[in-house]
Amino acid sequence: MKLVQKVIALIVMSWVVVSNAQTCNDSITPTTPDSRFSDNGDGTVTDKKTNLIWMRCSLGQTWDGSTCTSSAATYTWQQALQAAANTTFGGSNAWQLPNIKQLSSIVEESCDGPAINLYAFPATLSDYFWTSSPYASDNDNAWYVYFDYGYDNRNVKNSYHYVRLVRPDSN
């Protein structure tokens, strides 16, 4: 009986791992192909279309030279703005919480679970990421991008979401 329970547990765990994998539709032209990003060799990538430099990892994760390790942290909107202002990474302290237009620009529309280029942004969670954009008609809300499916919406600023930082290219 114990063997049957172990086999069932392994099958369930395998299904969970498979169901959390990114799915891409090959019949849709990628909106953020690998060629759009230049690896800067320091845990950042430059988006050649927008000339923005992005941290490859979410805040809380560590770049190990090839991928993002450890766990991403969540922040309220105000904490996210403060964390951006206090971050030094890749030789720069000019990091910002991206606005809604900037963060939406890295959504990969041909994929979901997560809807992002995993070459440029490995180990990205299929979850909510704050933007710096407040919601105009309700001061208690700010915009986020939901990287499971790539859509944006608003949420109360005291909610906890993940953070990916950006900075302008100084060249």
Side-chain angles (χ1 to χ4, degrees), residues 76-110:
T76 66
W77 187 71
Q78 197 63 47
Q79 290 170 341
L81 292 169
Q82 191 63 47
N86 293 334
T87 295
T88 298
F89 183 79
S92 176
N93 63 355
W95 296 102
Q96 305 165 6
L97 192 60
N99 64 41
I100 186 65
K101 184 177 179 181
Q102 291 168 331
L103 193 58
S104 295
S105 76
I106 62 170
V107 167
E108 176 48 63
E109 295 175 12
S110 69

Side-chain angles (χ1 to χ4, degrees), residues 8-138:
I8 291 171
L10 284 172
I11 291 169
V12 169
M13 288 186 334
S14 298
W15 178 81
V16 169
V17 169
V18 170
S19 68
N20 288 334
Q22 183 182 57
T23 304
C24 298
N25 185 333
D26 293 336
S27 66
I28 299 173
T29 302
T31 54
T32 61
D34 294 354
S35 61
R36 180 172 149 179
F37 298 97
S38 176
D39 183 350
N40 299 318
D42 61 358
T44 68
V45 290
T46 299
D47 183 337
K48 295 183 240 180
K49 182 176 179 182
T50 62
N51 292 318
L52 293 172
I53 298 175
W54 292 92
M55 288 178 63
R56 297 185 78 176
C57 300
S58 305
L59 280 187
Q61 292 179 313
T62 303
W63 179 251
D64 73 1
S66 62
T67 193
C68 301
T69 61
S70 59
S71 297
T74 58
Y75 301 82
T76 66
W77 187 71
Q78 197 63 47
Q79 290 170 341
L81 292 169
Q82 191 63 47
N86 293 334
T87 295
T88 298
F89 183 79
S92 176
N93 63 355
W95 296 102
Q96 305 165 6
L97 192 60
N99 64 41
I100 186 65
K101 184 177 179 181
Q102 291 168 331
L103 193 58
S104 295
S105 76
I106 62 170
V107 167
E108 176 48 63
E109 295 175 12
S110 69
C111 300
D112 61 34
I116 197 166
N117 180 311
L118 289 177
Y119 156 74
F121 307 104
T124 296
L125 296 167
S126 298
D127 217 316
Y128 304 97
F129 282 74
W130 279 124
T131 76
S132 63
S133 302
Y135 188 69
S137 62
D138 185 349

Side-chain angles (χ1 to χ4, degrees), residues 152-163:
D152 55 62
N153 205 341
R154 64 185 162 94
N155 203 349
V156 291
K157 293 177 179 177
N158 63 357
S159 297
Y160 283 84
H161 298 315
Y162 295 99
V163 173

Side-chain angles (χ1 to χ4, degrees), residues 138-149:
D138 185 349
N139 195 42
D140 293 331
N141 285 259
W143 287 96
Y144 66 80
V145 172
Y146 182 48
F147 276 99
D148 193 27
Y149 297 108

